[in-house]
Amino acid sequence: MRDILPVNGVFEMMQLPADMEHIGVISAMTLSYHHGKHLKAYVDNLNKLLPGSGLENLSISEVIKKSTGALFNNAGQVLNHVMYFEQFGHNNHEPQGKIKEMIERDFLSVENFKKEFEQKGATLFGSGWVWLSANADGHLVITQEANANNPLVNGLVPLLTFDVWEHAYYLDYQNRRADYLSALWQIVDWQVVESRL
Ligand code: MN
């Protein structure tokens, strides 16, 4: 799975995938706020809260598993956003190979999977994330996670996520969360998703 280590006790700000502002679906303005302001604030808060917590120098997934309150919320949001932004790109927009076989085994078809994933994202009440994860048996599951939660807290391996906090879509899609969710498939890089297995 995707994990991140601090460098000299500090979590660094991730860079967006190359040319992401030209990718469409998510506007350059949304990207600049979502990555440059929201994620930046989570990274800064995490780095402020870590000293003295007893969790310094652990990977982000270990911090998430061992923390509560503000530290948990900021660490969770850092990993959630890194996984969200990193999974987008200009290539590999259809699942292939192993991840495709797993989706067809567990959801009958890629189309069915997308429908269920979008539905779970659209019906998540309030702020949170819809996730595709692998469970301990190697099967794929879709979960709704509130606020900053990440499926790794429940022993799952997180693979793909759509952010349904309003800050992720409101500038581009206003209240049309379902339209935002269905549009995101156009920019998912499934090779990145499969690499998290
Ligand atoms: Mn967000």
Side-chain angles (χ1 to χ4, degrees):
M1 67 153 268
R2 181 71 169 99
D3 208 351
I4 310 164
L5 281 165
V7 179
N8 300 321
V10 174
F11 285 98
E12 294 176 332
M13 185 66 182
M14 72 168 288
Q15 300 300 309
L16 283 175
D19 293 326
M20 192 164 166
E21 67 274 27
H22 302 303
I23 210 169
V25 175
I26 303 171
S27 70
M29 181 175 275
T30 291
L31 282 175
S32 81
Y33 278 94
H34 198 183
H35 174 265
K37 304 285 186 198
H38 290 274
L39 175 55
K40 177 76 164 53
Y42 294 129
V43 170
D44 289 347
N45 287 333
L46 171 61
N47 286 325
K48 264 184 233 154
L49 291 163
L50 268 176
S53 67
L55 304 177
E56 302 90 341
N57 301 312
L58 296 181
S59 73
I60 195 103
S61 69
E62 291 302 313
V63 174
I64 291 168
K65 284 183 205 162
K66 295 182 161 102
S67 64
T68 56
L71 185 51
F72 173 86
N73 286 335
N74 285 285
Q77 285 295 73
V78 170
L79 180 60
N80 294 344
H81 282 93
V82 167
M83 294 188 70
Y84 174 77
F85 287 122
E86 275 185 355
Q87 75 198 349
F88 298 131
H90 295 266
N91 301 302
N92 312 310
H93 295 155
E94 290 299 327
Q96 304 283 336
K98 185 170 186 197
I99 191 77
K100 184 183 183 197
E101 285 169 24
M102 292 171 78
I103 289 170
E104 289 176 342
R105 180 195 63 196
D106 296 333
F107 300 98
L108 301 176
S109 69
V110 172
E111 197 181 323
N112 268 348
F113 157 71
K114 287 181 178 175
K115 214 159 76 182
E116 190 178 327
F117 195 85
E118 288 173 37
Q119 193 264 340
K120 290 252 169 74
T123 57
L124 193 160
F125 188 78
S127 295
W129 303 78
V130 56
W131 283 90
L132 175 70
S133 301
N135 68 17
D137 300 330
H139 282 275
L140 298 177
V141 292
I142 301 172
T143 62
Q144 296 171 319
E145 307 291 345
N147 301 318
N149 204 34
N150 184 294
L152 68 84
V153 169
N154 298 315
L156 300 172
V157 177
L159 302 175
L160 165 78
T161 191
F162 288 177
D163 187 347
V164 298
W165 284 59
E166 284 186 346
H167 67 226
Y169 61 87
Y170 218 83
L171 289 173
D172 300 332
Y173 296 87
Q174 296 79 45
N175 62 323
R176 292 173 284 114
R177 188 196 281 187
D179 291 350
Y180 153 76
L181 291 168
S182 64
L184 283 182
W185 300 120
Q186 297 171 50
I187 60 170
V188 170
D189 184 329
W190 281 95
Q191 225 163 60
V192 174
V193 176
E194 186 174 310
S195 74
R196 295 168 176 170
L197 274 167

